[in-house]
C-alpha cells in the first residue's frame, strides 16, 4: 500500500463486517479523540419507526481511541451508497479524521467519518449499558436484529484487536447476553443468517498478548459478577 490519494471511510460499526459495497484496499487501525458509543437511534436498519434500535456513533472525548477499519472507496457509487445509508437514512454527518494504521509502514492518513450528534433526529443519547441492552434485545429492523449488530461488531473487534478493551461495547455485549438468557430467547434466531458480507483485511495485523488486567471476552466480563452468559 503506497501513498494514499483516494477517498477512504472509517468503519467502526457494521461497516467492518457488512459494508454493503465492495471496497478497494482496507487497513485496520484507529482514530484518536473519538469514542464509540451506542447513543444513536435507528429506525431504518436495526429498528422501525416508533421503536428504534441502538447503533454506534462517535463522540468527541479527549483521551479516547477507537479501533476499526479504513475502507477505500472506489467510484462515486460507493460514496453515494454511504451518503444515503448513513446520512439520509441514518441521520449522520460527515467529518474528516486522521486514521492511524496498525501497520507501522503506513503513515497516518485522512478518512471520512460518519458521526451522529445530539442535533440528529434519531439521537437517543447516553444511558447505562443495562438499559441500552434491553432496547437492543427488543429491537429489529429490515437489516436484521439489533443484537446481531452489536455482537458481530464485538466479535470482529475481539478477533482483530485481541489486546484492545472497549469498555462500552463489551459491557453492552455482556448485558445483552444476560438479557437474552433472562427472557429465554433463542440466540441463533436473533443473530440471523451467518452468511454476511465479510470484508477481508488486506494488511497484516500483529497479535500482541492481551493485557493481564483486562478481560478478553464478554464471558470474562460476566464472571466477576457471578453471572452466567449465553455462549456464542
Amino acid at each position: 500500500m503506497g501513498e494514499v490519494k483516494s477517498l477512504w471511510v472509517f468503519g467502526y460499526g457494521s461497516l467492518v463486517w457488512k459494508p454493503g459495497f465492495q471496497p478497494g484496499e482496507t487497513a485496520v487501525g484507529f482514530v484518536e479523540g473519538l469514542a464509540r458509543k451506542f447513543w444513536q437511534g435507528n429506525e431504518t436498519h436495526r429498528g422501525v419507526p416508533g421503536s428504534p434500535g441502538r447503533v454506534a456513533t462517535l463522540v468527541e472525548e479527549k483521551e479516547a481511541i477507537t479501533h476499526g477499519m479504513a475502507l477505500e472507496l472506489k467510484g462515486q457509487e460507493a460514496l453515494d451508497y454511504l451518503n444515503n445509508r448513513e446520512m439520509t437514512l441514518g441521520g449522520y454527518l460527515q467529518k474528516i479524521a486522521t486514521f492511524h494504521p496498525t501497520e507501522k509502514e503506513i503513515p497516518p492518513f485522512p478518512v471520512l467519518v460518519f458521526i451522529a450528534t445530539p442535533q440528529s433526529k434519531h439521537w437517543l443519547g447516553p444511558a447505562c449499558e443495562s438499559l441500552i441492552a434491553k432496547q437492543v434485545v427488543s429491537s429489529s429492523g429490515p437489516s436484521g436484529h439489533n443484537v446481531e449488530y452489536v455482537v458481530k461488531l464485538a466479535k470482529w473487534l475481539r478477533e482483530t484487536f485481541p489486546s484492545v478493551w472497549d469498555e462500552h461495547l463489551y459491557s453492552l455485549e455482556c448485558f445483552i447476553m444476560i438479557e437474552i438468557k433472562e427472557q429465554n430467547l433463542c440466540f441463533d434466531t436473533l443473530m440471523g443468517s451467518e452468511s454476511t458480507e465479510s470484508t477481508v483485511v488486506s494488511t497484516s495485523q500483529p497479535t500482541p498478548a492481551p493485557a493481564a488486567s483486562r478481560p478478553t471476552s464478554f464471558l470474562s466480563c460476566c464472571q466477576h459478577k457471578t453471572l452466567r452468559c449465553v455462549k456464542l
Side-chain angles (χ1 to χ4, degrees), residues 114-185:
F114 290 96
I115 63 171
T117 69
Q119 285 68 50
S120 171
K121 65 179 180 180
H122 300 302
W123 181 259
L124 296 177
C128 65
E129 283 85 359
S130 60
L131 291 180
I132 295 178
K134 290 180 183 295
Q135 184 172 357
V136 168
V137 172
S138 65
S139 299
S140 184
S143 294
H145 204 281
N146 207 175
V147 167
E148 179 193 31
Y149 177 98
V150 178
V151 172
K152 287 188 175 178
L153 172 58
K155 180 176 184 289
W156 180 89
L157 185 67
R158 187 176 295 115
E159 292 176 349
T160 310
F161 298 97
S163 65
V164 170
W165 181 254
D166 188 316
E167 179 67 30
H168 181 62
L169 172 59
Y170 289 158
S171 294
L172 175 58
E173 182 192 26
C174 181
F175 279 113
I176 287 172
M177 297 303 168
I178 294 169
E179 193 68 27
I180 290 172
K181 180 171 177 60
E182 289 182 348
Q183 294 189 31
N184 196 29
L185 300 174

